Amino acid sequence: MINLKELCENADTIAISGHVRPDGDCIGSSLGLSNYLKKLYPQKRITVYLIDPNPLFSFLKGFDEIVRVPASDVSDLFIALDLSEKQRLGDNYMLFENAKNTACIDHHINETGFSKNDWIVPDCSSTAELIYNLMDEEVIDTDIAQCIYMGLVHDTGVFQYSCTHRSTMEIAGKLIEYDFDHYKIIEKTFFQKSYIQNQILGRALLESIMFMDGKCIVSVIDRKTMDFYGATSKDLEGIANQLRYTRGVECAIFMYEIGTQEYKISLRSSEKINVAAVAKAFGGGGHERAAGLTMAGSYHDVVNNLSKIIEKQYRDNEEK
Ligand code: AMP
Ligand code: MN
Ligand code: MN
């Protein structure tokens, strides 16, 4: 565990950032931590840098002050949240390079981090849960509680995934004592979809293909379809999860085109396949049950390459 007070004490400027395509945990934990530190140290300059954060989370305090374009500001302390590989900072990597001191707080599967002060707990539900554990409960207020709660909700799929522990529930229990609409923000940010999002989800489900005797399911959304619906990557969140809910499916692959012959891929698994290991084999990463990567090649190449590793893992597991 790191000591937040010791880390921040001598830093006049603190930069907080997270991974590319920031999700609810990334945004919630970044804003939760910045609101907390601003309250503790009103004289310090504390800035959150997240590229293109989803406006769904604009009700969180501090959202409007997020620096949304790639930055290279120099800071005394840089804290990376919800990532443990430098590349995942994307175009904000200069913030890390230029900082005098660095820290990394994360829960992805990774043996080593990349900062001077790493705290990586792969078993933890979310970065938000880790951030909560660094906080002094007396300092937490409604705004901070709401940010942390969003992180817990999104990374646990509303307390449903296997990463949800007793500690997660206990923290959530304490957080909903604060005065915010905890049920409404779950509906607004997690379950509610735009008409377009639902249409694309429908397309992805309709065109999905099962293989490996129904153990795997794959679906792809190409550039043309995205353009037709005017969809961006934010509109595709949740599709991989929905594919995994197909009965009998062990592993779901959802991919969408981000460039010519280049795909962003989301992997989800039920029980047996360690998708973090699958993603890692191709330079990605994540958690055992949810991981991501980008891959070059045709749709068929990508599916072939992924399924070879998935099949091997499946066979090895069966033999055990
Ligand atoms: P996604 O499929 O993008 O929702 O990601 C699922 C999980 O894997 C999230 O926790 C991501 O932060 C993580 N993840 C996604 N892409 C990568 C990557 N290229 N490298 C490491 N982790 C990733
Ligand atoms: Mn994340
Ligand atoms: Mn996370």
Side-chain angles (χ1 to χ4, degrees):
M1 194 150 161
I2 56 174
N3 185 323
L4 198 56
K5 283 207 171 117
E6 264 174 32
L7 201 61
C8 296
E9 227 160 37
N10 300 316
D12 291 328
T13 52
I14 301 173
I16 299 170
S17 189
H19 57 76
V20 287
R21 290 184 284 269
D23 51 22
D25 184 32
C26 195
I27 297 173
S29 52
S30 298
L31 291 176
L33 180 62
S34 69
N35 288 328
Y36 177 83
L37 291 177
K38 278 180 185 170
K39 202 167 167 190
L40 267 189
Y41 309 109
Q43 72 289 4
K44 294 187 196 289
R45 187 164 63 80
I46 295 152
T47 314
V48 175
Y49 301 82
L50 292 172
I51 296 170
D52 196 20
N54 195 327
L56 267 185
F57 296 99
S58 60
F59 64 92
L60 295 177
K61 189 182 175 194
F63 185 90
D64 291 340
E65 285 99 67
I66 295 174
V67 178
R68 291 137 208 263
V69 289
S72 54
D73 303 353
V74 177
S75 56
D76 295 326
L77 173 66
F78 174 76
I79 308 177
L81 296 181
D82 206 32
L83 62 98
S84 39
E85 287 155 349
K86 209 159 67 173
Q87 311 86 275
R88 296 265 293 148
L89 283 167
D91 290 335
N92 267 338
Y93 73 99
M94 283 305 290
L95 291 171
F96 169 80
E97 302 292 342
N98 289 340
K100 291 174 195 143
N101 194 13
T102 54
C104 161
I105 302 169
D106 186 37
H107 67 128
H108 290 91
I109 300 179
N110 217 340
E111 305 82 55
T112 53
F114 63 99
S115 75
K116 290 179 188 156
N117 302 275
D118 289 329
W119 186 37
I120 301 166
V121 187
D123 194 36
C124 190
S125 70
S126 53
T127 301
E129 182 169 341
L130 293 173
I131 295 290
Y132 177 90
N133 284 312
L134 293 176
M135 289 178 175
D136 197 337
E137 281 193 22
E138 279 90 77
V139 182
I140 297 177
D141 58 23
T142 301
D143 291 316
I144 297 167
Q146 187 165 237
C147 293
I148 300 295
Y149 193 68
M150 277 290 89
L152 298 184
V153 162
H154 279 260
D155 263 21
T156 59
V158 195
F159 310 107
Q160 166 209 169
Y161 305 149
S162 55
C163 63
T164 309
H165 301 299
R166 176 180 178 149
S167 60
T168 322
M169 298 292 223
E170 282 173 351
I171 293 168
K174 288 185 200 167
L175 293 175
I176 61 169
E177 295 269 292
Y178 290 86
D179 185 23
F180 64 93
D181 286 333
H182 56 89
Y183 49 96
K184 275 196 200 151
I185 59 174
I186 293 179
E187 172 158 343
K188 262 177 68 180
T189 65
F190 193 86
F191 291 109
Q192 204 174 73
K193 303 284 172 204
S194 68
Y195 181 57
I196 281 177
Q197 283 175 317
N198 273 338
Q199 280 191 308
I200 300 191
L201 169 66
R203 280 285 288 264
L205 297 178
L206 195 68
E207 287 164 20
S208 63
I209 293 168
M210 304 249 262
F211 61 102
M212 272 176 68
D213 280 339
K215 298 275 184 309
C216 268
I217 190 165
V218 62
S219 192
V220 62
I221 294 285
D222 61 17
R223 198 71 254 169
K224 232 174 44 202
T225 309
M226 285 179 76
D227 291 346
F228 177 78
Y229 290 105
T232 66
S233 61
K234 292 188 192 79
D235 296 312
L236 306 176
E237 260 175 46
I239 297 182
N241 286 331
Q242 192 57 48
L243 286 168
R244 185 185 69 79
Y245 286 132
T246 315
R247 190 166 290 130
V249 160
E250 258 305 320
C251 182
I253 305 171
F254 174 65
M255 48 200 275
Y256 62 91
E257 230 178 333
I258 49 171
T260 318
Q261 302 251 313
E262 197 185 2
Y263 292 93
K264 157 79 180 87
I265 298 155
S266 290
L267 302 173
R268 300 290 184 269
S269 78
S270 297
E271 269 180 84
K272 294 186 180 132
I273 305 293
N274 175 354
V275 285
V278 178
K280 204 164 180 192
F282 300 101
H287 313 281
E288 272 189 29
R289 302 283 156 256
L293 67 155
T294 55
M295 266 173 100
S298 71
Y299 164 69
H300 290 284
D301 288 343
V302 168
V303 176
N304 259 337
N305 289 332
L306 284 171
S307 58
K308 264 183 223 151
I309 305 244
I310 294 168
E311 246 185 308
K312 182 172 180 321
Q313 239 202 59
Y314 196 79
R315 254 186 287 116
D316 291 349
N317 283 346
E318 290 288 277
E319 278 160 20
K320 267 182 210 161

